[in-house]
């Protein structure tokens, strides 16, 4: 599954309305993962797509700081584990 479609499904979105914003977040997540030592080459696998999806949940339409903090801890944990592989 393409990363954009994976993220849209995880965010329960349909239609092209937020595609540009989501693509920017996907690019930012991939850059963040890359700078953290995670090799993101070509099409991301399901584990990396999951990390990207969590990153997008943090930055897309989420105003609850408690929820954002939980997602941030999850993302940081995923990123750390991926960087060790």
């Amino acid at each position: 599954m393409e990363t954009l479609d994976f993220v849209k499904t995880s965010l329960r979105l349909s239609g092209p309305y937020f595609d540009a914003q989501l693509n920017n977040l996907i690019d930012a997540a991939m850059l963040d993962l890359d700078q953290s030592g995670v090799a993101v080459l070509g099409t991301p696998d399901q584990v990396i797509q999951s990390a990207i999806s969590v990153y997008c949940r943090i930055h897309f339409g989420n105003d609850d700081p408690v929820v954002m903090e939980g997602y941030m801890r999850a993302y940081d944990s995923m990123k750390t584990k991926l960087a060790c592989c």
Side-chain angles (χ1 to χ4, degrees):
M1 179 182 282
E2 186 179 320
T3 303
L4 177 61
D5 294 332
F6 186 90
V7 168
K8 286 171 70 171
T9 299
S10 73
L11 294 174
R12 295 179 176 89
L13 296 172
S14 60
Y17 311 108
F18 299 105
D19 285 5
Q21 184 177 0
L22 291 173
N23 277 320
N24 285 338
L25 287 172
I26 290 166
D27 290 345
M30 289 176 66
L31 181 62
D32 183 61
L33 289 169
D34 183 62
Q35 290 175 343
S36 299
V38 179
V40 183
L41 303 171
T43 303
D45 63 24
Q46 289 94 348
V47 177
I48 292 176
Q49 282 185 335
S50 293
I52 291 168
S53 176
V54 173
Y55 182 94
C56 291
R57 282 185 174 274
I58 295 165
H59 298 285
F60 183 84
N62 191 351
D63 295 330
D64 186 338
V66 174
V67 172
M68 288 174 64
E69 183 179 328
Y71 282 130
M72 184 58 96
R73 280 194 310 268
Y75 175 72
D76 286 340
S77 175
M78 294 171 88
K79 183 169 59 170
T80 300
K81 288 177 184 176
L82 286 166
C84 291
C85 295

